[in-house]
Amino acid sequence: MSEAVLESERPFGWTQRLICLYGIVWRESLRFLHQRERFISALVRPLVWLFIFAAGFRQTLGVSIIPPYDTYVLYEVYITPGLMAMIQLFNGMQSSLSMVYDREMGSMRMLLVSPAPRWFLLTSKLIAGVAVSILQVYAFLVVAYFWEIEPPTWWGYLTVLPALALSGLMLGALGMLLSSLIKQLENFAGVMNFVIFPMFFASSALYPLWRVQQGSPWLATVCRFNPFTHAVELIRFAFYGQVNWLALGVVASCTAAFLGAAVIAYDPARGMLMRRGG
């Protein structure tokens, strides 16, 4: 038996998987570095909300003492965790756009026919996107620090990291699932707007749920069932060194559900790509 045959029959071990993971993360990092406008736009959106809208809504949307806050806080302090989650939401949708583009250009098909398991390839791409989103969030926190928006202690910058990783995985997995539904790049904008804006505005990112309850009880119910709400609350509590166990359970469950659905969707034998002839 030739050496080439033996090499082809060798199992795909953890060493090969680590090399594959490194290659995917490095590729996404280079893409991010070469797209400076993507980094700038990721910061402009939350900074506009923080420094312009927050100044206008400060007197209108007062925030009472609610967990995890021990005292009254300024409106810009309240919306900071929601803006951190917004960065991850837009990054997850941006990553799904890149997957649609790669699928049209053929690079995604080359990746999926590699010896690595399909779930591992998709998870590796998801991890790469989450790493980029976390860098964007911390860049936003650096700017916010100069406006005296910071956690009670420096430990908040570390305790929020696991929450950012888990929420980033959930939102990235959702974007990956949506990318399997988008057949052409031209349809991306409509689908994303249909997802991003309802998720963001129907959540606790910009206003506490007790205020939503006062104005519209049915909308408050929608906000409570919105996974993005729980991602925001997970980040909010972690930023103050606390754990919101309900938010943790919801975000973890949604991450597993979205990622599992995305793996099935990208399976040509069972998923949506085959049924669409993709």
Side-chain angles (χ1 to χ4, degrees):
M1 186 176 292
S2 65
E3 183 178 350
V5 174
L6 290 174
E7 184 70 22
S8 64
E9 294 180 352
R10 185 177 301 173
F12 196 83
W14 285 107
T15 302
Q16 290 78 10
R17 293 187 182 187
L18 289 177
I19 295 174
C20 179
L21 174 62
Y22 172 79
I24 294 176
V25 173
W26 181 248
R27 178 176 182 269
E28 291 298 318
S29 301
L30 290 178
R31 171 182 286 180
F32 176 72
L33 291 175
H34 292 160
Q35 297 176 345
R36 295 182 180 88
E37 66 279 359
R38 177 180 172 185
F39 176 76
I40 296 175
S41 64
L43 291 181
V44 168
R45 280 188 296 263
L47 291 177
V48 166
W49 277 100
L50 186 62
F51 301 134
I52 298 179
F53 286 90
F57 293 153
R58 181 183 299 173
Q59 301 301 326
T60 305
L61 295 175
V63 178
S64 63
I65 303 177
I66 56 176
Y69 307 111
D70 296 327
T71 183
Y72 290 97
V73 296
L74 296 175
Y75 180 64
E76 50 264 39
V77 174
Y78 174 82
I79 66 172
T80 296
L83 299 180
M84 295 161 64
M86 182 181 74
I87 294 175
Q88 296 196 302
L89 175 62
F90 276 88
N91 184 81
M93 299 304 110
Q94 187 74 23
S95 298
S96 68
L97 170 62
S98 67
M99 293 190 69
V100 176
Y101 178 81
D102 290 344
R103 194 173 68 224
E104 287 194 353
M105 297 298 103
S107 56
M108 176 59 67
R109 296 178 183 179
M110 294 176 60
L111 181 66
L112 293 178
V113 297
S114 70
R118 186 156 306 208
W119 66 265
F120 180 79
L121 293 172
L122 294 175
T123 304
S124 298
K125 190 166 180 62
L126 180 60
I127 292 174
V130 172
V132 170
S133 72
I134 290 177
L135 291 177
Q136 294 173 337
V137 170
Y138 276 101
F140 166 73
L141 289 177
V142 169
V143 178
Y145 173 79
F146 292 99
W147 270 263
E148 299 182 352
I149 299 176
E150 55 184 323
T153 65
W154 282 95
W155 285 106
Y157 290 110
L158 295 179
T159 56
V160 77
L161 180 58
L164 291 174
L166 185 57
S167 60
L169 287 173
M170 184 192 75
L171 298 172
L174 175 60
M176 185 178 294
L177 176 61
L178 292 174
S179 69
S180 67
L181 299 171
I182 302 173
K183 188 173 183 180
Q184 296 179 342
L185 194 62
E186 293 79 7
N187 301 331
F188 177 83
V191 174
M192 292 301 101
N193 289 333
F194 184 75
V195 174
I196 290 178
F197 292 107
M199 286 191 69
F200 179 66
F201 288 108
S203 71
S204 61
L206 299 179
Y207 19 75
L209 292 185
W210 67 267
R211 277 200 170 273
V212 181
Q213 181 71 35
Q214 289 180 345
S216 177
W218 71 267
L219 181 58
T221 302
V222 172
C223 293
R224 292 188 182 95
F225 281 96
N226 183 1
F228 187 73
T229 295
H230 298 281
V232 171
E233 294 306 310
L234 182 66
I235 295 173
R236 189 188 311 280
F237 277 74
F239 200 50
Y240 280 76
Q242 303 179 33
V243 179
N244 187 319
W245 293 105
L246 174 61
L248 177 61
V250 172
V251 173
S253 301
C254 290
T255 301
F258 294 154
L259 182 57
V263 172
I264 294 175
Y266 272 94
D267 188 344
R270 297 177 295 175
M272 305 168 188
L273 292 178
M274 173 121 184
R275 292 198 295 269
R276 292 200 322 264

